[in-house]
Amino acid sequence: MRTPLPAGGTGYFADDATAPGGIRLQLNALQALCRQAFAIRLTLIAIGAPFATANAADGFPRHAVLTAAVLGVMGSYAMLRDWDRCAPQLLAHPTLMAVDLVFGAILLLTASPASPLAYAAVCTPLLSGLLYGWRGSGVFTGLQLVVLLTVFRAWEHRPGAGASTLLIAGFCVAAGVIGVTLRNLMFRFGTAGHALAEANSRLAVAEAVESERARLAREMHDSVAKTLHGLALSAEALAVAADNERNPQTLKSQATAVAGAARRAATESRELLTDLRAHTAMSNPPMSLVTELDARVRDFESRTGIEATFAHRPGPALPLPPGAPRQFLAIVSEALENTHRHADATHVRVTLEFSRSALRLTVRDDGTGTAVSLDDVHVLANTGHFGLLGMQERAASVAAELRLRSTEHGGTEVMLTLPCASTVPEPPSRSPHEEAAHA
């Protein structure tokens, strides 16, 4: 636990920066500076105490000097060793700093402005600036200057006393200003850092929301929207057949198609809602990509009447990114649906092959081809064609490359390539000595 450094004041001293809530780095840095200042003060008192004791007269003056030295050393050591317990008292009661200043004054009076104890006096304005801000720095720097003036009066007969006193007084003023400046700089930096962290957090939330909206749009387009479109077409065909068709068997088959499309839309909606409520790694259990692709191709052939085949060319086992099989299946389903709706094809072939460095998934039909480039995807999206955009986003989500082109003999080819390292270990290379031995 770290003790916060309070800030505040009225009037001119209200310029003190307030401690940033939630940002502890700057507070800890200031507290480390305070402890270092107490360590320096402890060292200087320990070095300078013999000078004060040697100059004190026997009897009460010497006992007073020894008492002041012991109390000064103990106070600095307590702050250095047990800051978390002693600092709150020092922060809540600035008079403790004044008492410590009195002990230092007693030692400095019996020593001289040229002794190491004079430099220990510089720590008081520095600490007051770090702990109390402008008001505390002004008060304790003024008191320290009064002590230095008193010491000068007592030692003015000694050569160099005036220059030493003036030098220490300048150091005291500078130390007070430096202490306050460091305090306010740290706190303002902490406030700015806290604001930046909040801004980054808001941006991260906005990006997550946008990403989820895009994912939901892809899922809606690839499942419910497409099925509902087929349902509408089936319903229109049923309405036309009801007006013109006298064969009950035809009407029954049309009604069965409408019912099947409605059930499929309900199932896809339920799957989508389930995925939204539990969109975690556990909601996407491991699946066999080969088995699922074969099932999708068979279902496509039975629904559309277009001849569809699936070929699997086995290879070395390759590690796939999490969620990659699901994205591959969605891309293949969209490519097959585009073949049915736009290609005027009679045959479509889906190929899955593994090599030592990549997985390649291809959907090729014998239709009319395409003049669309993936560079035009955003243009198509602006006109309401979101299928290719969703395919490209799904490929990018698993670091795969998607290509779309017309084949030389007509038709369209969609190729998905996922580079990945093979899990088959390479044979170890032989050293020149092993090669010679083998030969």
Side-chain angles (χ1 to χ4, degrees):
M1 176 182 177
R2 295 297 182 187
T3 304
L5 299 179
T10 58
Y12 176 74
F13 300 109
D15 290 338
D16 283 347
T18 56
I23 298 295
R24 310 297 303 175
L25 179 61
Q26 288 72 29
L27 297 177
N28 293 341
L30 277 182
Q31 291 160 16
L33 287 176
C34 292
R35 297 181 68 175
Q36 290 174 4
F38 275 111
I40 294 173
R41 188 174 182 276
L42 171 64
T43 303
L44 292 175
I45 290 177
I47 294 175
F51 293 91
T53 305
N55 293 331
D58 293 335
F60 177 76
R62 179 163 294 181
H63 292 307
V65 169
L66 288 175
T67 302
V70 171
L71 292 177
V73 169
M74 290 179 61
S76 297
Y77 179 74
M79 296 300 300
L80 180 63
R81 184 179 182 276
D82 201 359
W83 169 268
D84 293 337
R85 183 177 300 177
C86 299
Q89 302 300 322
L90 186 62
L91 292 170
H93 306 287
T95 51
L96 294 176
M97 181 72 74
V99 172
D100 186 74
L101 187 145
V102 171
F103 295 150
I106 294 173
L107 294 174
L108 196 55
L109 279 171
T110 53
S112 70
S115 68
L117 285 169
Y119 294 93
V122 177
C123 296
T124 299
L126 177 62
L127 288 168
S128 61
L130 292 173
L131 292 171
Y132 308 119
W134 282 113
R135 183 181 294 275
S137 176
V139 170
F140 283 102
T141 300
L143 291 176
Q144 192 64 65
L145 293 178
V146 171
V147 171
L148 289 175
L149 179 62
T150 305
V151 172
F152 169 72
R153 291 291 181 84
W155 291 88
E156 60 182 347
H157 60 279
R158 181 171 180 172
S164 297
T165 303
L166 185 61
L167 179 64
I168 299 302
F171 284 164
C172 287
V173 173
V177 174
I178 291 173
V180 176
T181 301
L182 287 174
R183 171 195 175 88
N184 291 342
L185 182 63
M186 285 288 187
F187 283 175
R188 289 193 175 103
F189 179 76
T191 302
H194 184 59
L196 180 60
E198 289 184 345
N200 289 336
S201 177
R202 288 193 294 269
L203 287 175
V205 170
E207 290 178 358
V209 170
E210 186 64 26
S211 175
E212 185 63 18
R213 290 179 62 183
R215 187 189 71 84
L216 180 58
R218 290 194 300 270
E219 298 294 341
M220 291 290 292
H221 175 273
D222 294 345
S223 58
V224 181
K226 194 169 287 144
T227 304
L228 291 177
H229 178 72
L231 177 61
L233 294 178
S234 299
E236 290 176 356
L238 178 61
V240 172
D243 291 336
N244 303 321
E245 186 65 45
R246 301 299 181 183
N247 187 358
Q249 191 64 31
T250 303
L251 293 176
K252 182 179 179 180
S253 63
Q254 293 286 351
T256 302
V258 171
R263 283 192 295 269
R264 190 161 56 252
T267 301
E268 291 171 349
S269 299
R270 186 163 52 251
E271 292 176 353
L272 181 60
L273 291 175
T274 301
D275 185 62
L276 287 175
R277 288 186 175 274
H279 187 56
T280 61
M282 296 300 295
S283 65
N284 294 319
M287 63 175 66
S288 171
L289 182 59
V290 175
T291 303
E292 291 292 333
L293 283 173
D294 184 61
R296 296 287 176 99
V297 171
R298 291 177 181 272
D299 177 71
F300 173 79
E301 185 177 26
S302 64
R303 285 191 300 104
T304 63
I306 300 175
E307 183 183 359
T309 56
F310 172 65
H312 173 222
R313 299 174 184 173
L318 299 177
L320 298 180
R326 185 170 180 272
Q327 302 296 347
F328 294 165
L329 290 173
I331 292 173
V332 170
S333 297
E334 179 63 21
L336 290 174
E337 199 64 30
N338 287 340
T339 297
H340 171 54
R341 295 172 60 184
H342 306 297
D344 194 21
T346 59
H347 180 265
V348 60
R349 180 179 179 84
V350 179
T351 305
L352 174 65
E353 56 183 323
F354 294 89
S355 66
R356 298 183 64 85
S357 59
L359 175 150
R360 186 169 292 105
L361 185 58
T362 307
V363 180
R364 183 183 294 111
D365 63 52
D366 61 353
T368 57
T370 180
V372 178
S373 170
L374 288 180
D375 296 334
D376 304 327
V377 168
H378 294 285
V379 176
L380 293 175
N382 291 334
T383 59
H385 298 81
F386 300 103
L388 289 177
L389 178 60
M391 293 170 64
Q392 194 173 48
E393 289 176 346
R394 289 182 184 277
S397 68
V398 292
E401 180 186 3
L402 183 69
R403 291 190 297 170
L404 173 68
R405 68 183 183 91
S406 293
T407 61
E408 297 179 357
H409 305 290
T412 303
E413 180 184 80
V414 177
M415 179 178 292
L416 179 70
T417 304
L418 176 66
C420 47
S422 174
T423 58
V424 178
E426 294 290 337
S429 60
R430 295 175 177 173
S431 66
H433 296 288
E434 290 175 336
E435 291 288 349
H438 182 72

